[in-house]
C-alpha cells in the first residue's frame, strides 16, 4: 500500500492584498506525526484551513490528494467525512454546554424518534474521555475544566468522528509542562493506533521530541521537510530553516540594577466569584524600578487572578489587602483607575479581554491610551496612525497596513498587538501575562529586548509565564504561587526549574 496519506501540491492562497501561501507543498505519510514550523504569519494556520475545507475548493489554487484520490472539499463537513479533523488555534468548545454535549455537538447520539439519547451520549462520552486519559464527569459544563483538559476534550471529540488525520494548531501553546507532556503522550498513543497527525507548534523542544517529519514554512513558501528519524535534527537546525539564519541566543543580555520599590502589595486576598474559596490568599510582593519579577505557578494557582485584581478587573469578589505605588497606598478598583496609576496588564487571553478583533490594528493599539492622543475630547487621527506605525515597527507586527482588521492577523501577530497597546500607555508597572504564548522564537527575542529596554528606563515589569526557562532567562527575582498562596521567592541566581517546581506544587503542606 502507498505510504503517503496526504499530498498537497502547489497550494496558493490569496487574501485581498496578501498572498498567504505561494506554491506550497506538503507530503504526509501514513501513521506519522508531522510537525509544521514557521514564524508568526508564515502561513501555517492558513494551510491547515485549506486542507480542512475552511477555505473551500475554488478559494485556493493547487491540488490536494488524500488517500490516493484528489479531494475538493466544499466545507469542513466534507473533510470530516473522509476523516480529517482540525482542532483550531483558538479552542472552539461551547463553554456552558456539558463535556458530552460538546463532544457530540453536530453529531448527536439519537434514539428512536430522533430524540437525543442522553444515556448513550453520556456513556459514549465517558468511553471517549477515558481514551484520552480524562476522568471527568460528562455532564459537567466545559467551562469548569482548565485549558489543558479542554484540549483533551477537543481530541475526544475528534475521536468520536473516526478521525484518520488529526490536525492540531498549536495544541500546547496554552498548556503548562505537565499538561503538555500528557498531550504529547496521547499523540504517541494515537500514532500507535494508526492515526496520522499534523501538529503546528512554536515549542521546538516538543517537535524534536515527538515528530517523525517536520515541514518548515517561511513567508508562505515551503522551505524544506526534515526527516526527524535520523535523530540529528536539532532545534537550531529548525530555527535556521524558519528564519533563514542562525539565532545566537534565546535571551538578550541585560545589566540588572534594580532601584527603588515601585509596586508593593500586602496581604492581598481575592475570593472566588461564586465558590466559597480564596483564589488569592494573603499574597504579598514587591517590584522595584528596573526589575523584572516573575510569577511561576501551575494553571489554576491564581496567577491571572492576582494580576487582574491588582489591575482593577473585578474577576473575584471581596478583594482585600493593600496596594502601594511608589510607597503611597492607592486604590485601583477599576481598570481606568489602574491605568491612571500607571499600571498596565497585558492579558494572556487576547480574544476575551485583550483585543477588539473586528477593529483595525490602529484602533487596538491606541485603545488604552486614547487620553494621550486626545485634545479637548478629539482624538488626533494622524497622531494615532503614527503611534500605531511605531508599535508595528517596534514589535515587527506583520500586517499589510495598520488599518487592517486585527482578526485577519495571524495568532502570534495578534499577541504582539496586545503588547503594543499596553506599551503605548507608558506604564510604570507592566504586568505581562504569558507574553510569548504562540510567539515564534525570533519574535520572542524581540519581546525580551523590549522588556529590557523598559527596564533600562526604570520601569517595573512583572512576567507571568508557564515556561520556566523563560522566567529563568528573563527575571531578576521569581515568586512561586500555589493554590493562591505565595510559597517562595528566589533571586534568579538561586532558582532552577526543579526548585521552582517544588515550590509551585507545595500546596498540601500549606493548606492546613
Ligand atoms: N482572513 C484573512 N484575511 C486576510 N489576511 C489573512 C487572513 N488570514 C490570514 N491572513 C494573513 O495570512 C498570513 C498567514 O497567516 P497564518 O494565520 O496562516 O499564519 P501562521 O503561520 O499560522 O502564524 P502564527 O504562528 O502567528 O499563528 C498572515 O499575513 C495573515 O495576516
Ligand atoms: Mg497560526
Amino acid at each position: 500500500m502507498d505510504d503517503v496519506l496526504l499530498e498537497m501540491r502547489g497550494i496558493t492562497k490569496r487574501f485581498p492584498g496578501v498572498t498567504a501561501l505561494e506554491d506550497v507543498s506538503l507530503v504526509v505519510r501514513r501513521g506519522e506525526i508531522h510537525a509544521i514550523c514557521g514564524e508568526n504569519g508564515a502561513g501555517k494556520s492558513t494551510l491547515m484551513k485549506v486542507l480542512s475545507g475552511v477555505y473551500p475548493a475554488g478559494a485556493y489554487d493547487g491540488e490536494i490528494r488524500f488517500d490516493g484520490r484528489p479531494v475538493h472539499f466544499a466545507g469542513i463537513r466534507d473533510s470530516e467525512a473522509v476523516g480529517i479533523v482540525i482542532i483550531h488555534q483558538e479552542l472552539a468548545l461551547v463553554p456552558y454546554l456539558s463535556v458530552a454535549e460538546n463532544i457530540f455537538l453536530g453529531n448527536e447520539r439519537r434514539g428512536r424518534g430522533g430524540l437525543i439519547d442522553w444515556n448513550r451520549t453520556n456513556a459514549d462520552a465517558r468511553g471517549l474521555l477515558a481514551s484520552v486519559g480524562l476522568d471527568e464527569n460528562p455532564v459537567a459544563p466545559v467551562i469548569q475544566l482548565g485549558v489543558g483538559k479542554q484540549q483533551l476534550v477537543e481530541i475526544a471529540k475528534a475521536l468520536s468522528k473516526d478521525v484518520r488525520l488529526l490536525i492540531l494548531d498549536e495544541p500546547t501553546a496554552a498548556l503548562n509542562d505537565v499538561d503538555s507532556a500528557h498531550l504529547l503522550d496521547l499523540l504517541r498513543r494515537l500514532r500507535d493506533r494508526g492515526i496520522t497527525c499534523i501538529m503546528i507548534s512554536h515549542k521546538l523542544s516538543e517537535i524534536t521530541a515527538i515528530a517523525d517529519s517536520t515541514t518548515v514554512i517561511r513567508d508562505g513558501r515551503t522551505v524544506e521537510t526534515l526527516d526527524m528519524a535520523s535523530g540529528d535534527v536539532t532545534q537550531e537546525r529548525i530555527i535556521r530553516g524558519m528564519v533563514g539564519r542562525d539565532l545566537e541566543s534565546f535571551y538578550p543580555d541585560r545589566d540588572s540594577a534594580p532601584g527603588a520599590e515601585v509596586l508593593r502589595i500586602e496581604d492581598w486576598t481575592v475570593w472566588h466569584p461564586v465558590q466559597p474559596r480564596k483564589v488569592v490568599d494573603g499574597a504579598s510582593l514587591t517590584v522595584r524600578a528596573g526589575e523584572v519579577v516573575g510569577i511561576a505557578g501551575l494553571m489554576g494557582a491564581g496567577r491571572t487572578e492576582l494580576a487582574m485584581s491588582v489591575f482593577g478587573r473585578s474577576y473575584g469578589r471581596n478583594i482585600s489587602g493593600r496596594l502601594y505605588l511608589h510607597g503611597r497606598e492607592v486604590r485601583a478598583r477599576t481598570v481606568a483607575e489602574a491605568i491612571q496609576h500607571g499600571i498596565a496588564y497585558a492579558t494572556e487571553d487576547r480574544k476575551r479581554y485583550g483585543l477588539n478583533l473586528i477593529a483595525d490594528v490602529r484602533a487596538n493599539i491606541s485603545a488604552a491610551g486614547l487620553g494621550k492622543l486626545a485634545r479637548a475630547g478629539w482624538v488626533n487621527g494622524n497622531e494615532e496612525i503614527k503611534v500605531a506605525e511605531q508599535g508595528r515597527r517596534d514589535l515587527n507586527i506583520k500586517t499589510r497596513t495598520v488599518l487592517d482588521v486585527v482578526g485577519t492577523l495571524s495568532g502570534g501577530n495578534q499577541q504582539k498587538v496586545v503588547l503594543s497597546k499596553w506599551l503605548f500607555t507608558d506604564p510604570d508597572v507592566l504586568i505581562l501575562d504569558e507574553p510569548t504564548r504562540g510567539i515564534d522564537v525570533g519574535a520572542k527575542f524581540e519581546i525580551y529586548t523590549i522588556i529590557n529596554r523598559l527596564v533600562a528606563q526604570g520601569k517595573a515589569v512583572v512576567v507571568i509565564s508557564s515556561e520556566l526557562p523563560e522566567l529563568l532567562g528573563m527575571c531578576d527575582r521569581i515568586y512561586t504561587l500555589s493554590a493562591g498562596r505565595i510559597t517562595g521567592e528566589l533571586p534568579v541566581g538561586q532558582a532552577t526549574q526543579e526548585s521552582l517546581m517544588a515550590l509551585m506544587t507545595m500546596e498540601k503542606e500549606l493548606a492546613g
Side-chain angles (χ1 to χ4, degrees), residues 120-259:
R120 212 174 117 221
T121 300
N122 291 330
D124 288 1
R126 213 178 280 281
L128 287 164
L129 290 173
S131 70
V132 298
L134 272 185
D135 184 24
E136 254 12 75
N137 188 346
V139 301
V142 141
I143 196 170
Q144 287 180 6
L145 274 55
V147 199
K149 288 183 175 171
Q150 289 191 20
Q151 192 68 254
L152 296 175
V153 171
E154 287 263 23
I155 295 179
K157 180 173 180 168
L159 295 178
S160 78
K161 297 174 187 162
D162 289 325
V163 57
R164 296 181 63 205
L165 174 62
L166 180 64
I167 305 167
L168 299 141
D169 194 348
E170 295 190 41
T172 61
L175 304 191
N176 61 38
D177 291 353
V178 180
D179 286 342
S180 297
H182 196 74
L183 184 94
L184 296 186
D185 261 350
L186 175 61
L187 295 186
R188 287 193 187 95
R189 274 186 281 130
L190 295 180
R191 173 173 60 189
D192 294 343
R193 284 170 51 183
I195 295 174
T196 309
C197 179
I198 296 179
M199 177 169 111
I200 298 176
S201 179
H202 289 293
K203 296 188 179 173
L204 303 181
S205 56
E206 293 178 357
I207 287 176
T208 50
I210 197 175
D212 301 299
S213 315
T214 300
T215 292
V216 179
I217 297 181
R218 191 196 315 153
D219 292 333
R221 292 167 182 274
T222 315
V223 175
E224 58 192 348
T225 294
L226 302 163
D227 180 8
M228 311 297 284
S230 63
D232 50 11
V233 178
T234 59
Q235 294 184 44
E236 286 71 23
R237 175 68 190 76
I238 299 173
I239 291 171
R240 202 186 314 145
M242 282 172 60
V243 301
R245 61 184 161 81
D246 286 320
L247 205 68
E248 259 99 65
S249 72
F250 286 115
Y251 303 101
D253 289 334
R254 169 159 59 87
D255 294 324
S256 159

Side-chain angles (χ1 to χ4, degrees), residues 40-41 43-46 89 169-170 200 202 410-412:
N40 295 129
K44 306 177 295 294
S45 295
T46 303
Q89 198 161 359
D169 194 348
E170 295 190 41
I200 298 176
H202 289 293
S410 78

Side-chain angles (χ1 to χ4, degrees), residues 393-455:
R393 265 198 309 278
D394 282 354
L395 285 176
N396 197 6
I397 298 171
K398 197 176 166 201
T399 175
R400 206 167 44 104
T401 77
V402 293
L403 301 180
D404 284 8
V405 171
V406 161
T408 68
L409 268 54
S410 78
N413 282 293
Q414 290 182 15
Q415 189 66 31
K416 293 188 195 176
V417 174
V418 175
L419 249 183
S420 202
K421 162 178 168 176
W422 292 109
L423 288 177
F424 176 55
T425 67
D426 193 26
D428 290 342
V429 181
L430 180 60
I431 305 171
L432 300 170
D433 199 343
E434 303 284 1
T436 63
R437 174 175 294 174
I439 298 266
D440 70 55
V441 275
K444 276 184 182 170
F445 192 88
E446 289 164 16
I447 288 178
Y448 300 146
T449 306
I450 286 184
I451 293 177
N452 284 356
R453 202 163 75 212
L454 294 171
V455 164

Side-chain angles (χ1 to χ4, degrees), residues 377-396:
W378 290 93
V379 172
N380 182 334
N382 289 337
E383 255 329 282
E384 193 185 16
I385 298 246
K386 262 195 226 155
V387 163
E389 282 296 349
Q390 183 70 40
R392 172 194 186 180
R393 265 198 309 278
D394 282 354
L395 285 176
N396 197 6

